[in-house]
Amino acid sequence: MAAFTVDFQLCFIAILVWLFSCFCLSAFFFKKRKEPELQDCNLPPSPPSVPVIGHLHLLLSVPVHKSFQKLSLQSMVLSFTFAPLLAQLFWSHRAPWPNEVHEETTSHKSSGLSFSRADTAHPWGRTYDIPCYVTLFDKATKKEAVDVGKEMINLTNNTICRQGRTHAFMRMIMGSKCSEENGEADQLRDLLTKSLSLVRKFLIASTVGRLLKKLGISLFEKEIMEVSQKYDELLEKIIKEREDNPNKKEDRYLIDVLLEKMLKRLREEIESVVGKTKLIQEIDRSNLSYLLAVVKEGLRLHPHSPIVVRNATEGCKIGGFYIPQNTTMIINTYAVMRDPDSWEEPDEFQPERFMVPPSKGNKEMREQLDLNYIPFGSGRRGCPGSNLGSIFVGLAIGTMVHCFDWSIDGEKVNMEEAGDVNLSMAHPL
Ligand code: HEM
């Protein structure tokens, strides 16, 4: 009887192995026939694919935006680094191009991703963005006076540190920073890191997820639920605390990004406009053209999101190529903003490129610059906080340059990047 049980198990395993081999062989030898409507279509060129896994290996290479950039330089892959194509992608196909990606993201409302990246087609899609618009953003959109400069100085006075970003994030979303003492800030930092690392997995899931879902396998479900639940718990706790202490006075911290090279010129400009005794305010920005150019150039060379994603809800034509329905398209903002065909000396930090005088002859050049400058994405799902973001970063950098003396260890600031889907400095200042 015992011998029979062992044989049965072996038999079962053998059948599984046989089924799996058949699946692999059929995927290798019998390529799926093109859907009838795709047969005479001019599909975009693609790099060579590997049997069974297709292009999955390309998604797994690190960092994604750099490997895609290399790929688009090496082969004829349709790469959206060409301004007229970008315009078509972001603007001409508004209806069939909502933004973000697929069910794994949208089925878990409270994960850090879906928090801001909901599909507009979902009933809760836009409304779920609402928590992001409270306090500062809300005031800014209503054109109420927001003393962003004062906010920044309060932040600066407290701490210049990496943690500053977490507090700035919380302050924008919740109108308050989270506490360092009871570990809340660490918890949030941990959650942010986890949700950012999930973005990469979402990309993989959007490539192979549908097939696996048919087989009853849901990718990354457990991880998403875990992060989701932790967000819920933390947000509940913060909301409760705020309800209990509505007037609690808040300290503020700072977003810190600093590019050292043009420091002297920047300081001279700020001192000539603002003076040595006053502090920089939002109203000064219009006279600080070099500061604005430094911020733009920083975001061009080091975009926070090196890739943005679009999903075709309907088939459409872009640049003469047919893009089938449900295609996930990755727009490499990093490569677009370093494309040698669009930018002179693309890898150099040259804020002056954004200081084109407003003469008639430069109109075309400005339009070209605008089309290829996409640190905030573009189109219908472009960043709604781009103005606030620029003000915030501008005043943060301006205040830091104005109020502090800076020196660096060694000869240069190490600008090596870390992260895939959201970039940060690998060696923070
Ligand atoms: C320097 C600061 C910022 C940068 C670099 C940035 C960048 C981006 C990028 C690249 C996207 C994706 C756009 C696309 O897919 O085309 C995005 C989306 C978004 N951003 Fe920002 N952002 C910044 C600040 C802000 C601020 C201050 C807020 C709100 C107060 C905000 C709210 C959002 C929201 C809600 C979305 C999702 C839009 C949608 O899916 O329709 N961002 N941001």
Side-chain angles (χ1 to χ4, degrees):
M1 190 63 193
F4 176 77
T5 314
V6 172
D7 282 349
F8 177 77
Q9 280 175 350
L10 282 177
C11 219
F12 183 68
I13 291 168
I15 289 172
L16 275 183
V17 172
W18 178 74
L19 275 175
F20 183 71
S21 319
C22 286
F23 171 73
C24 292
L25 284 173
S26 65
F28 189 81
F29 288 113
F30 309 106
K31 282 211 160 161
K32 197 181 152 197
R33 289 189 56 197
K34 275 187 189 168
E35 290 158 34
E37 70 269 24
L38 299 184
Q39 280 190 357
D40 296 320
C41 288
N42 184 18
L43 290 174
S46 114
S49 61
V50 177
V52 184
I53 62 164
H55 296 107
L56 187 62
H57 59 295
L58 298 174
L59 274 179
L60 296 177
S61 49
V62 178
V64 181
H65 62 287
K66 286 209 172 153
S67 67
F68 281 1
Q69 185 189 26
K70 213 162 109 198
L71 201 65
S72 66
L73 292 173
Q74 278 170 0
S75 63
M76 260 299 292
V77 181
L78 179 60
S79 79
F80 289 103
T81 56
F82 178 53
L85 279 192
L86 281 173
Q88 282 183 41
L89 172 69
F90 282 131
W91 293 108
S92 313
H93 296 282
R94 288 171 67 123
W97 291 96
N99 197 7
E100 170 86 14
V101 214
H102 61 99
E103 301 128 41
E104 270 79 2
T105 329
T106 49
S107 57
H108 302 287
K109 287 194 219 170
S110 50
S111 86
L113 289 161
S114 53
F115 193 64
S116 63
R117 307 299 291 148
D119 185 340
T120 39
H122 278 246
W124 51 267
R126 268 291 171 180
T127 47
Y128 210 74
D129 285 345
I130 283 171
C132 296
Y133 296 95
V134 290
T135 57
L136 294 180
F137 192 49
D138 190 35
K139 282 189 171 186
T141 49
K142 284 188 206 149
K143 295 204 163 44
E144 282 175 26
V146 183
D147 196 342
V148 185
K150 200 171 142 213
E151 292 280 334
M152 291 314 308
I153 285 138
N154 283 332
L155 294 169
T156 317
N157 286 343
N158 279 294
T159 306
I160 297 173
C161 63
R162 222 143 79 93
Q163 284 94 311
R165 278 190 295 261
T166 318
H167 293 298
F169 174 85
M170 278 309 290
R171 171 114 184 89
M172 282 196 190
I173 291 179
M174 304 294 292
S176 67
K177 77 177 180 67
C178 43
S179 155
E180 286 285 353
E181 287 91 55
N182 61 11
E184 213 171 56
D186 274 337
Q187 234 176 314
L188 180 65
R189 250 169 246 134
D190 187 46
L191 277 177
L192 285 173
T193 316
K194 278 193 181 143
S195 25
L196 292 180
S197 72
L198 276 179
V199 181
R200 185 185 180 77
K201 293 180 179 168
F202 281 134
L203 279 177
I204 296 168
S206 69
T207 317
V208 291
R210 274 185 216 120
L211 174 71
L212 292 178
K213 205 155 205 175
K214 280 184 195 154
L215 298 172
I217 303 168
S218 185
L219 281 182
F220 313 121
E221 175 95 25
K222 201 166 157 255
E223 275 174 87
I224 296 167
M225 287 309 290
E226 212 175 279
V227 174
S228 220
Q229 205 180 331
K230 285 194 177 147
Y231 263 113
D232 281 349
E233 284 165 14
L234 186 64
L235 290 177
E236 290 281 341
K237 199 170 131 202
I238 294 169
I239 290 168
K240 190 161 182 330
E241 260 172 30
R242 295 202 61 208
E243 279 169 356
D244 294 345
N245 307 293
N247 297 320
K248 196 176 148 203
K249 200 172 178 295
E250 290 293 339
D251 296 327
R252 285 134 204 185
Y253 290 74
L254 169 72
I255 285 181
D256 59 322
V257 180
L258 188 75
L259 297 162
E260 171 266 344
K261 220 170 153 189
M262 320 292 164
L263 202 59
K264 193 164 169 272
R265 181 168 172 192
L266 201 50
R267 192 170 234 188
E268 279 167 7
E269 184 190 70
I270 298 173
E271 283 182 358
S272 75
V273 173
V274 182
K276 283 195 178 180
T277 49
K278 275 191 346 193
L279 289 169
I280 185 169
Q281 289 182 13
E282 197 202 333
I283 198 169
D284 299 318
R285 281 177 77 245
S286 53
N287 296 319
L288 297 168
S289 52
Y290 191 64
L291 174 64
L292 298 185
V294 164
V295 171
K296 279 192 140 188
E297 183 67 341
L299 288 171
R300 179 189 74 81
L301 271 180
H302 304 283
H304 178 254
S305 311
I307 52 177
V308 296
V309 183
R310 293 291 185 274
N311 183 40
T313 50
E314 284 171 19
C316 60
K317 271 199 158 184
I318 293 184
F321 294 111
Y322 182 72
I323 309 292
Q325 188 182 27
N326 287 331
T327 305
T328 298
M329 197 143 340
I330 295 171
I331 301 124
N332 192 335
T333 60
Y334 183 92
V336 169
M337 293 194 286
R338 288 180 182 234
D339 179 17
D341 290 339
S342 312
W343 305 90
E344 268 174 38
E345 301 191 62
D347 295 327
E348 294 302 312
F349 184 85
Q350 291 175 354
E352 292 77 10
R353 70 175 89 237
F354 289 107
M355 297 175 81
V356 185
S359 67
K360 216 178 167 194
N362 284 324
K363 192 169 172 263
E364 207 177 295
M365 196 175 157
R366 281 167 174 278
E367 281 171 3
Q368 189 73 11
L369 268 184
D370 283 350
L371 271 177
N372 286 307
Y373 182 72
I374 50 170
F376 297 100
S378 187
R380 192 165 61 135
R381 300 304 299 254
C383 175
S386 59
N387 278 342
L388 180 61
S390 301
I391 295 174
F392 203 74
V393 176
L395 291 181
I397 293 179
T399 308
M400 285 193 292
V401 170
H402 196 199
C403 301
F404 297 91
D405 287 325
W406 292 89
S407 63
I408 49 167
D409 284 343
E411 287 198 348
K412 262 180 113 187
V413 175
N414 187 341
M415 294 303 292
E416 196 189 322
E417 294 145 353
D420 288 326
V421 187
N422 291 95
L423 296 185
S424 56
M425 288 178 91
H427 308 282
L429 297 171

